[in-house]
Short mmCIF file of all heavy atoms in Angstrom, two decimals:
data_model
loop_
_atom_site.label_atom_id
_atom_site.label_comp_id
_atom_site.label_asym_id
_atom_site.label_seq_id
_atom_site.Cartn_x
_atom_site.Cartn_y
_atom_site.Cartn_z
N MET A 17 4.26 -23.58 4.17
CA MET A 17 5.42 -22.86 3.62
C MET A 17 5.10 -21.31 3.77
O MET A 17 4.09 -20.95 3.45
CB MET A 17 5.53 -23.23 2.03
CG MET A 17 6.55 -22.59 1.36
SD MET A 17 6.66 -23.20 -0.30
CE MET A 17 7.15 -21.74 -1.15
N SER A 18 6.21 -20.68 4.12
CA SER A 18 6.00 -19.19 4.31
C SER A 18 7.07 -18.47 3.47
O SER A 18 8.23 -18.83 3.55
CB SER A 18 6.19 -18.86 5.76
OG SER A 18 6.10 -17.51 5.96
N VAL A 19 6.65 -17.48 2.70
CA VAL A 19 7.55 -16.70 1.92
C VAL A 19 7.60 -15.33 2.53
O VAL A 19 6.54 -14.69 2.75
CB VAL A 19 7.14 -16.64 0.44
CG1 VAL A 19 8.05 -15.76 -0.34
CG2 VAL A 19 7.09 -18.00 -0.12
N GLU A 20 8.81 -14.81 2.83
CA GLU A 20 8.94 -13.50 3.44
C GLU A 20 9.48 -12.50 2.39
O GLU A 20 10.54 -12.68 1.92
CB GLU A 20 9.82 -13.54 4.61
CG GLU A 20 9.22 -14.26 5.81
CD GLU A 20 10.12 -14.31 6.98
OE1 GLU A 20 10.88 -13.23 7.13
OE2 GLU A 20 9.88 -15.13 7.78
N ILE A 21 8.64 -11.61 1.99
CA ILE A 21 9.02 -10.53 1.05
C ILE A 21 8.87 -9.17 1.72
O ILE A 21 7.83 -8.94 2.36
CB ILE A 21 8.12 -10.57 -0.21
CG1 ILE A 21 8.28 -11.91 -0.85
CG2 ILE A 21 8.48 -9.52 -1.17
CD1 ILE A 21 7.24 -12.10 -2.05
N PRO A 22 9.82 -8.29 1.69
CA PRO A 22 9.70 -6.98 2.25
C PRO A 22 8.49 -6.29 1.69
O PRO A 22 8.25 -6.38 0.43
CB PRO A 22 11.04 -6.25 1.86
CG PRO A 22 11.97 -7.37 1.57
CD PRO A 22 11.19 -8.50 1.01
N LEU A 23 7.81 -5.59 2.57
CA LEU A 23 6.69 -4.86 2.07
C LEU A 23 6.87 -3.86 0.96
O LEU A 23 6.08 -3.69 0.06
CB LEU A 23 5.86 -4.21 3.29
CG LEU A 23 4.63 -3.45 2.96
CD1 LEU A 23 3.55 -4.36 2.48
CD2 LEU A 23 4.10 -2.72 4.22
N VAL A 24 8.06 -3.17 1.15
CA VAL A 24 8.41 -2.13 0.18
C VAL A 24 8.59 -2.81 -1.23
O VAL A 24 8.10 -2.25 -2.25
CB VAL A 24 9.64 -1.39 0.59
CG1 VAL A 24 10.10 -0.47 -0.46
CG2 VAL A 24 9.42 -0.69 1.90
N ALA A 25 9.15 -3.95 -1.29
CA ALA A 25 9.44 -4.62 -2.58
C ALA A 25 8.07 -5.07 -3.14
O ALA A 25 7.84 -4.94 -4.44
CB ALA A 25 10.30 -5.79 -2.35
N LEU A 26 7.19 -5.55 -2.32
CA LEU A 26 5.85 -6.04 -2.75
C LEU A 26 5.04 -4.88 -3.31
O LEU A 26 4.45 -4.99 -4.42
CB LEU A 26 5.12 -6.75 -1.67
CG LEU A 26 3.79 -7.36 -1.98
CD1 LEU A 26 4.00 -8.49 -2.99
CD2 LEU A 26 3.11 -7.86 -0.81
N LEU A 27 5.09 -3.79 -2.61
CA LEU A 27 4.34 -2.51 -3.11
C LEU A 27 4.95 -1.99 -4.39
O LEU A 27 4.21 -1.53 -5.16
CB LEU A 27 4.40 -1.50 -2.03
CG LEU A 27 3.50 -1.75 -0.73
CD1 LEU A 27 3.69 -0.69 0.25
CD2 LEU A 27 2.06 -1.88 -1.12
N ALA A 28 6.23 -2.11 -4.45
CA ALA A 28 6.93 -1.58 -5.67
C ALA A 28 6.45 -2.41 -6.92
O ALA A 28 6.10 -1.87 -8.03
CB ALA A 28 8.39 -1.63 -5.48
N VAL A 29 6.48 -3.74 -6.71
CA VAL A 29 6.07 -4.54 -7.84
C VAL A 29 4.52 -4.38 -8.21
O VAL A 29 4.25 -4.26 -9.35
CB VAL A 29 6.21 -6.06 -7.43
CG1 VAL A 29 5.65 -7.03 -8.44
CG2 VAL A 29 7.71 -6.41 -7.35
N PHE A 30 3.62 -4.27 -7.19
CA PHE A 30 2.30 -4.02 -7.48
C PHE A 30 2.04 -2.72 -8.14
O PHE A 30 1.25 -2.49 -9.01
CB PHE A 30 1.39 -4.13 -6.22
CG PHE A 30 1.00 -5.54 -5.79
CD1 PHE A 30 1.21 -6.04 -4.53
CD2 PHE A 30 0.55 -6.40 -6.74
CE1 PHE A 30 0.89 -7.29 -4.13
CE2 PHE A 30 0.22 -7.75 -6.42
CZ PHE A 30 0.36 -8.18 -5.09
N GLY A 31 2.82 -1.69 -7.61
CA GLY A 31 2.70 -0.34 -8.15
C GLY A 31 3.16 -0.33 -9.62
O GLY A 31 2.54 0.31 -10.51
N TYR A 32 4.28 -0.94 -9.90
CA TYR A 32 4.84 -0.99 -11.24
C TYR A 32 3.82 -1.59 -12.24
O TYR A 32 3.51 -1.00 -13.19
CB TYR A 32 6.16 -1.69 -11.25
CG TYR A 32 6.73 -1.78 -12.68
CD1 TYR A 32 7.34 -0.84 -13.30
CD2 TYR A 32 6.57 -3.13 -13.40
CE1 TYR A 32 7.89 -0.99 -14.60
CE2 TYR A 32 7.10 -3.24 -14.61
CZ TYR A 32 7.79 -2.20 -15.21
OH TYR A 32 8.24 -2.27 -16.46
N PHE A 33 3.38 -2.80 -11.88
CA PHE A 33 2.43 -3.48 -12.79
C PHE A 33 1.08 -2.79 -12.90
O PHE A 33 0.34 -2.74 -13.87
CB PHE A 33 2.26 -4.92 -12.39
CG PHE A 33 3.41 -5.76 -12.71
CD1 PHE A 33 4.28 -6.37 -11.85
CD2 PHE A 33 3.76 -5.91 -14.16
CE1 PHE A 33 5.37 -7.12 -12.25
CE2 PHE A 33 4.90 -6.69 -14.60
CZ PHE A 33 5.67 -7.27 -13.55
N GLY A 34 0.66 -2.15 -11.73
CA GLY A 34 -0.64 -1.43 -11.70
C GLY A 34 -0.58 -0.30 -12.72
O GLY A 34 -1.52 0.03 -13.40
N ILE A 35 0.50 0.49 -12.63
CA ILE A 35 0.66 1.57 -13.50
C ILE A 35 0.81 1.17 -14.98
O ILE A 35 0.21 1.83 -15.84
CB ILE A 35 1.89 2.50 -13.04
CG1 ILE A 35 1.53 3.20 -11.72
CG2 ILE A 35 2.22 3.53 -14.11
CD1 ILE A 35 2.68 3.94 -11.13
N LYS A 36 1.55 0.11 -15.25
CA LYS A 36 1.67 -0.37 -16.62
C LYS A 36 0.44 -0.97 -17.15
O LYS A 36 0.10 -0.72 -18.32
CB LYS A 36 2.81 -1.46 -16.69
CG LYS A 36 4.16 -0.92 -16.43
CD LYS A 36 4.59 -0.05 -17.59
CE LYS A 36 5.98 0.51 -17.40
NZ LYS A 36 6.34 1.45 -18.43
N LEU A 37 -0.39 -1.65 -16.36
CA LEU A 37 -1.59 -2.33 -16.84
C LEU A 37 -2.81 -1.35 -16.88
O LEU A 37 -3.53 -1.28 -17.90
CB LEU A 37 -1.98 -3.47 -15.95
CG LEU A 37 -1.03 -4.60 -15.99
CD1 LEU A 37 -1.51 -5.69 -14.99
CD2 LEU A 37 -1.06 -5.27 -17.39
N PHE A 38 -2.97 -0.43 -15.90
CA PHE A 38 -4.13 0.41 -15.89
C PHE A 38 -3.87 1.79 -16.36
O PHE A 38 -4.85 2.54 -16.66
CB PHE A 38 -4.72 0.46 -14.40
CG PHE A 38 -5.20 -0.91 -13.99
CD1 PHE A 38 -4.52 -1.58 -12.91
CD2 PHE A 38 -6.21 -1.59 -14.62
CE1 PHE A 38 -4.92 -2.79 -12.52
CE2 PHE A 38 -6.57 -2.82 -14.21
CZ PHE A 38 -5.92 -3.49 -13.18
N ARG A 39 -2.66 2.24 -16.44
CA ARG A 39 -2.27 3.50 -16.95
C ARG A 39 -3.12 4.69 -16.29
O ARG A 39 -3.73 5.42 -17.07
CB ARG A 39 -2.36 3.59 -18.46
CG ARG A 39 -1.54 2.57 -19.15
CD ARG A 39 -0.86 3.19 -20.37
NE ARG A 39 -0.18 2.12 -21.01
CZ ARG A 39 1.20 2.03 -20.98
NH1 ARG A 39 1.84 2.87 -20.26
NH2 ARG A 39 1.80 1.04 -21.62
N PRO A 40 -3.05 4.77 -14.95
CA PRO A 40 -3.71 5.89 -14.40
C PRO A 40 -3.02 7.27 -14.66
O PRO A 40 -1.81 7.21 -14.97
CB PRO A 40 -3.66 5.62 -12.90
CG PRO A 40 -2.50 4.85 -12.73
CD PRO A 40 -2.37 4.01 -14.00
N PRO A 41 -3.74 8.33 -14.64
CA PRO A 41 -3.03 9.65 -14.84
C PRO A 41 -1.96 9.91 -13.77
O PRO A 41 -2.13 9.47 -12.64
CB PRO A 41 -4.11 10.65 -14.79
CG PRO A 41 -5.41 9.95 -14.51
CD PRO A 41 -5.12 8.49 -14.37
N THR A 42 -0.92 10.50 -14.14
CA THR A 42 0.19 10.79 -13.28
C THR A 42 -0.28 11.57 -11.99
O THR A 42 0.13 11.37 -10.89
CB THR A 42 1.31 11.58 -13.97
OG1 THR A 42 1.76 10.79 -15.08
CG2 THR A 42 2.48 11.73 -13.05
N TRP A 43 -1.21 12.62 -12.29
CA TRP A 43 -1.68 13.37 -11.10
C TRP A 43 -2.42 12.59 -10.09
O TRP A 43 -2.37 12.92 -8.96
CB TRP A 43 -2.53 14.60 -11.62
CG TRP A 43 -3.86 14.10 -12.31
CD1 TRP A 43 -4.12 13.89 -13.60
CD2 TRP A 43 -5.06 13.75 -11.58
NE1 TRP A 43 -5.37 13.42 -13.77
CE2 TRP A 43 -6.00 13.35 -12.55
CE3 TRP A 43 -5.47 13.82 -10.29
CZ2 TRP A 43 -7.30 12.96 -12.22
CZ3 TRP A 43 -6.77 13.37 -9.92
CH2 TRP A 43 -7.69 13.01 -10.91
N LEU A 44 -3.09 11.51 -10.56
CA LEU A 44 -3.78 10.66 -9.62
C LEU A 44 -2.85 9.86 -8.73
O LEU A 44 -2.95 9.76 -7.48
CB LEU A 44 -4.71 9.73 -10.26
CG LEU A 44 -5.51 8.72 -9.48
CD1 LEU A 44 -6.48 9.49 -8.57
CD2 LEU A 44 -6.35 7.91 -10.40
N VAL A 45 -1.80 9.33 -9.28
CA VAL A 45 -0.79 8.61 -8.61
C VAL A 45 -0.11 9.56 -7.49
O VAL A 45 0.09 9.13 -6.38
CB VAL A 45 0.28 8.05 -9.54
CG1 VAL A 45 1.35 7.33 -8.74
CG2 VAL A 45 -0.37 6.98 -10.53
N VAL A 46 0.37 10.71 -8.02
CA VAL A 46 0.97 11.68 -7.12
C VAL A 46 0.03 12.04 -6.01
O VAL A 46 0.46 12.14 -4.80
CB VAL A 46 1.54 12.92 -7.88
CG1 VAL A 46 1.93 14.02 -6.97
CG2 VAL A 46 2.54 12.50 -8.88
N THR A 47 -1.22 12.31 -6.22
CA THR A 47 -2.13 12.76 -5.25
C THR A 47 -2.36 11.66 -4.18
O THR A 47 -2.39 11.93 -2.98
CB THR A 47 -3.51 13.09 -5.84
OG1 THR A 47 -3.37 14.11 -6.86
CG2 THR A 47 -4.56 13.49 -4.84
N LEU A 48 -2.47 10.39 -4.65
CA LEU A 48 -2.68 9.34 -3.64
C LEU A 48 -1.38 9.10 -2.77
O LEU A 48 -1.56 8.90 -1.66
CB LEU A 48 -3.01 8.04 -4.46
CG LEU A 48 -4.40 7.98 -5.06
CD1 LEU A 48 -4.51 6.70 -5.91
CD2 LEU A 48 -5.45 8.07 -3.99
N LEU A 49 -0.23 9.18 -3.34
CA LEU A 49 0.95 8.99 -2.62
C LEU A 49 1.15 10.23 -1.63
O LEU A 49 1.47 9.92 -0.41
CB LEU A 49 2.19 8.90 -3.57
CG LEU A 49 2.30 7.68 -4.39
CD1 LEU A 49 3.48 7.63 -5.40
CD2 LEU A 49 2.52 6.38 -3.49
N LEU A 50 1.00 11.38 -2.11
CA LEU A 50 1.16 12.50 -1.29
C LEU A 50 0.03 12.62 -0.10
O LEU A 50 0.35 12.94 1.05
CB LEU A 50 1.09 13.80 -2.04
CG LEU A 50 1.41 15.13 -1.35
CD1 LEU A 50 2.77 15.07 -0.72
CD2 LEU A 50 1.23 16.29 -2.25
N GLY A 51 -1.16 12.25 -0.53
CA GLY A 51 -2.22 12.13 0.41
C GLY A 51 -1.99 11.21 1.57
O GLY A 51 -2.19 11.44 2.80
N GLY A 52 -1.55 10.01 1.20
CA GLY A 52 -1.23 8.95 2.18
C GLY A 52 -0.11 9.46 3.07
O GLY A 52 -0.12 9.18 4.32
N PHE A 53 0.94 10.06 2.58
CA PHE A 53 1.97 10.55 3.30
C PHE A 53 1.60 11.58 4.33
O PHE A 53 1.93 11.61 5.44
CB PHE A 53 3.07 11.14 2.40
CG PHE A 53 4.31 11.72 3.10
CD1 PHE A 53 5.21 10.91 3.66
CD2 PHE A 53 4.41 13.08 3.24
CE1 PHE A 53 6.33 11.40 4.36
CE2 PHE A 53 5.50 13.65 3.88
CZ PHE A 53 6.46 12.81 4.45
N LEU A 54 0.76 12.50 3.85
CA LEU A 54 0.22 13.61 4.71
C LEU A 54 -0.63 13.17 5.75
O LEU A 54 -0.74 13.69 6.89
CB LEU A 54 -0.37 14.75 3.85
CG LEU A 54 0.58 15.46 3.03
CD1 LEU A 54 -0.15 16.52 2.13
CD2 LEU A 54 1.67 16.18 3.69
N LEU A 55 -1.53 12.12 5.48
CA LEU A 55 -2.48 11.59 6.51
C LEU A 55 -1.81 10.76 7.53
O LEU A 55 -2.39 10.55 8.57
CB LEU A 55 -3.55 10.71 5.81
CG LEU A 55 -4.60 11.42 4.98
CD1 LEU A 55 -5.49 10.47 4.25
CD2 LEU A 55 -5.33 12.34 5.90
N ALA A 56 -0.51 10.34 7.32
CA ALA A 56 0.14 9.46 8.20
C ALA A 56 0.39 10.17 9.54
O ALA A 56 0.61 9.54 10.64
CB ALA A 56 1.47 8.98 7.64
N ASP A 57 0.39 11.55 9.61
CA ASP A 57 0.64 12.22 10.88
C ASP A 57 -0.59 12.96 11.41
O ASP A 57 -0.47 13.89 12.22
CB ASP A 57 1.75 13.27 10.66
CG ASP A 57 3.18 12.87 11.18
OD1 ASP A 57 3.13 11.87 11.72
OD2 ASP A 57 4.07 13.51 10.87
N THR A 58 -1.78 12.48 11.02
CA THR A 58 -2.99 13.13 11.56
C THR A 58 -3.66 12.23 12.47
O THR A 58 -3.24 11.12 12.85
CB THR A 58 -3.88 13.49 10.26
OG1 THR A 58 -4.32 12.14 9.79
CG2 THR A 58 -3.28 14.31 9.30
N PHE A 59 -4.92 12.67 12.83
CA PHE A 59 -5.69 11.93 13.86
C PHE A 59 -6.21 10.54 13.18
O PHE A 59 -6.66 9.66 13.90
CB PHE A 59 -6.89 12.67 14.30
CG PHE A 59 -7.87 13.04 13.26
CD1 PHE A 59 -8.97 12.25 12.95
CD2 PHE A 59 -7.66 14.18 12.49
CE1 PHE A 59 -9.87 12.56 11.97
CE2 PHE A 59 -8.60 14.57 11.48
CZ PHE A 59 -9.68 13.74 11.17
N ILE A 60 -6.08 10.42 11.88
CA ILE A 60 -6.47 9.29 11.16
C ILE A 60 -5.39 8.19 11.22
O ILE A 60 -5.70 7.00 10.88
CB ILE A 60 -6.88 9.64 9.66
CG1 ILE A 60 -7.98 10.69 9.64
CG2 ILE A 60 -7.35 8.40 8.84
CD1 ILE A 60 -8.23 11.21 8.35
N ALA A 61 -4.20 8.48 11.68
CA ALA A 61 -3.08 7.59 11.69
C ALA A 61 -3.41 6.30 12.44
O ALA A 61 -3.06 5.18 11.92
CB ALA A 61 -1.90 8.16 12.25
N PRO A 62 -4.15 6.30 13.62
CA PRO A 62 -4.41 5.03 14.23
C PRO A 62 -5.31 4.08 13.43
O PRO A 62 -5.21 2.88 13.53
CB PRO A 62 -5.09 5.48 15.57
CG PRO A 62 -4.64 6.79 15.85
CD PRO A 62 -4.41 7.44 14.50
N VAL A 63 -6.27 4.73 12.68
CA VAL A 63 -7.10 3.89 11.90
C VAL A 63 -6.34 3.24 10.71
O VAL A 63 -6.50 2.07 10.44
CB VAL A 63 -8.24 4.81 11.27
CG1 VAL A 63 -9.16 3.97 10.35
CG2 VAL A 63 -9.13 5.33 12.42
N ILE A 64 -5.42 3.99 10.17
CA ILE A 64 -4.61 3.46 9.10
C ILE A 64 -3.67 2.31 9.59
O ILE A 64 -3.59 1.33 8.98
CB ILE A 64 -3.76 4.61 8.46
CG1 ILE A 64 -4.66 5.71 7.74
CG2 ILE A 64 -2.70 4.02 7.44
CD1 ILE A 64 -3.93 6.88 7.29
N GLU A 65 -3.14 2.61 10.80
CA GLU A 65 -2.30 1.56 11.35
C GLU A 65 -3.04 0.32 11.71
O GLU A 65 -2.56 -0.75 11.43
CB GLU A 65 -1.57 2.10 12.61
CG GLU A 65 -0.61 1.16 13.29
CD GLU A 65 -0.01 1.70 14.50
OE1 GLU A 65 -0.24 2.87 14.86
OE2 GLU A 65 0.85 1.06 15.11
N GLY A 66 -4.23 0.49 12.24
CA GLY A 66 -5.03 -0.70 12.59
C GLY A 66 -5.41 -1.51 11.32
O GLY A 66 -5.36 -2.75 11.35
N GLY A 67 -5.75 -0.78 10.30
CA GLY A 67 -6.03 -1.45 9.03
C GLY A 67 -4.87 -2.21 8.41
O GLY A 67 -4.96 -3.31 7.92
N ALA A 68 -3.76 -1.58 8.53
CA ALA A 68 -2.48 -2.22 7.95
C ALA A 68 -2.14 -3.42 8.75
O ALA A 68 -1.76 -4.37 8.26
CB ALA A 68 -1.38 -1.20 7.98
N GLU A 69 -2.29 -3.39 10.14
CA GLU A 69 -2.01 -4.52 10.97
C GLU A 69 -2.89 -5.63 10.66
O GLU A 69 -2.55 -6.85 10.50
CB GLU A 69 -2.03 -4.10 12.40
CG GLU A 69 -0.92 -3.30 12.88
CD GLU A 69 -1.01 -2.90 14.40
OE1 GLU A 69 -1.86 -3.44 15.07
OE2 GLU A 69 -0.18 -2.12 14.78
N THR A 70 -4.25 -5.34 10.51
CA THR A 70 -5.21 -6.40 10.22
C THR A 70 -4.90 -7.02 8.84
O THR A 70 -4.93 -8.30 8.78
CB THR A 70 -6.68 -5.82 10.24
OG1 THR A 70 -6.85 -5.21 11.47
CG2 THR A 70 -7.64 -6.85 9.95
N GLY A 71 -4.60 -6.28 7.91
CA GLY A 71 -4.24 -6.71 6.55
C GLY A 71 -2.98 -7.61 6.57
O GLY A 71 -2.92 -8.65 5.99
N THR A 72 -1.99 -7.22 7.36
CA THR A 72 -0.71 -7.95 7.51
C THR A 72 -1.09 -9.30 8.18
O THR A 72 -0.58 -10.31 7.80
CB THR A 72 0.25 -7.23 8.32
OG1 THR A 72 0.49 -5.97 7.72
CG2 THR A 72 1.56 -7.99 8.45
N GLN A 73 -1.91 -9.30 9.20
CA GLN A 73 -2.28 -10.59 9.86
C GLN A 73 -3.00 -11.49 8.93
O GLN A 73 -2.80 -12.76 8.91
CB GLN A 73 -3.12 -10.29 11.11
CG GLN A 73 -2.36 -9.61 12.25
CD GLN A 73 -3.20 -9.16 13.40
OE1 GLN A 73 -4.48 -9.17 13.24
NE2 GLN A 73 -2.57 -8.70 14.44
N ILE A 74 -3.86 -10.95 8.13
CA ILE A 74 -4.67 -11.74 7.15
C ILE A 74 -3.69 -12.40 6.15
O ILE A 74 -3.75 -13.61 5.87
CB ILE A 74 -5.70 -10.97 6.42
CG1 ILE A 74 -6.81 -10.57 7.49
CG2 ILE A 74 -6.28 -11.71 5.26
CD1 ILE A 74 -7.83 -9.65 6.97
N VAL A 75 -2.76 -11.60 5.63
CA VAL A 75 -1.84 -12.12 4.62
C VAL A 75 -0.96 -13.13 5.27
O VAL A 75 -0.68 -14.22 4.56
CB VAL A 75 -1.00 -10.94 4.05
CG1 VAL A 75 0.17 -11.50 3.24
CG2 VAL A 75 -1.88 -10.04 3.14
N ASN A 76 -0.47 -12.97 6.47
CA ASN A 76 0.45 -13.84 7.13
C ASN A 76 -0.37 -15.08 7.69
O ASN A 76 0.32 -16.07 8.12
CB ASN A 76 1.20 -13.19 8.20
CG ASN A 76 2.26 -12.21 7.69
OD1 ASN A 76 2.61 -12.39 6.56
ND2 ASN A 76 2.62 -11.20 8.46
N GLY A 77 -1.63 -15.06 7.74
CA GLY A 77 -2.41 -16.15 8.36
C GLY A 77 -2.32 -16.24 9.87
O GLY A 77 -2.46 -17.31 10.40
N THR A 78 -2.11 -15.09 10.56
CA THR A 78 -1.98 -15.12 11.99
C THR A 78 -3.12 -14.35 12.71
O THR A 78 -2.98 -13.99 13.84
CB THR A 78 -0.61 -14.38 12.38
OG1 THR A 78 -0.65 -13.00 11.89
CG2 THR A 78 0.60 -15.10 11.80
N ASN A 79 -4.22 -14.29 11.98
CA ASN A 79 -5.37 -13.64 12.64
C ASN A 79 -6.28 -14.58 13.38
O ASN A 79 -7.38 -14.96 12.96
CB ASN A 79 -6.18 -12.84 11.50
CG ASN A 79 -6.71 -13.75 10.47
OD1 ASN A 79 -6.11 -14.82 10.31
ND2 ASN A 79 -7.75 -13.34 9.79
N ASP A 80 -5.76 -15.03 14.47
CA ASP A 80 -6.60 -16.04 15.29
C ASP A 80 -7.59 -15.39 16.21
O ASP A 80 -7.56 -14.31 16.65
CB ASP A 80 -5.58 -16.82 16.11
CG ASP A 80 -4.68 -17.68 15.31
OD1 ASP A 80 -5.10 -18.10 14.17
OD2 ASP A 80 -3.61 -18.02 15.65
#
């Protein structure tokens, strides 16, 4: 059985419950979001993309 949920929806749910349960400071949340956005166009982008692809393959069970 395979369930397909858009990544954005999954991240929104995890983010919502993570903020409600752990109550991190707002500056930390903003810093992490802004930092990730800014790093997406740097030389680190291939590493981020490779990690995201590997994680997606693990979640989908297609990492043969």
Side-chain angles (χ1 to χ4, degrees):
M17 181 175 147
S18 178
V19 177
E20 293 186 24
I21 299 173
L23 180 61
V24 174
L26 187 63
L27 290 175
V29 169
F30 278 132
Y32 175 78
F33 285 113
I35 289 173
K36 288 294 179 186
L37 292 174
F38 298 115
R39 302 220 183 259
T42 305
W43 66 265
L44 180 61
V45 174
V46 170
T47 302
L48 290 174
L49 289 174
L50 186 60
F53 178 76
L54 293 174
L55 285 176
D57 259 353
T58 63
F59 65 93
I60 301 173
V63 175
I64 296 170
E65 183 179 0
E69 286 179 11
T70 302
T72 303
Q73 290 173 353
I74 291 171
V75 168
N76 290 337
T78 57
N79 58 341
D80 296 329

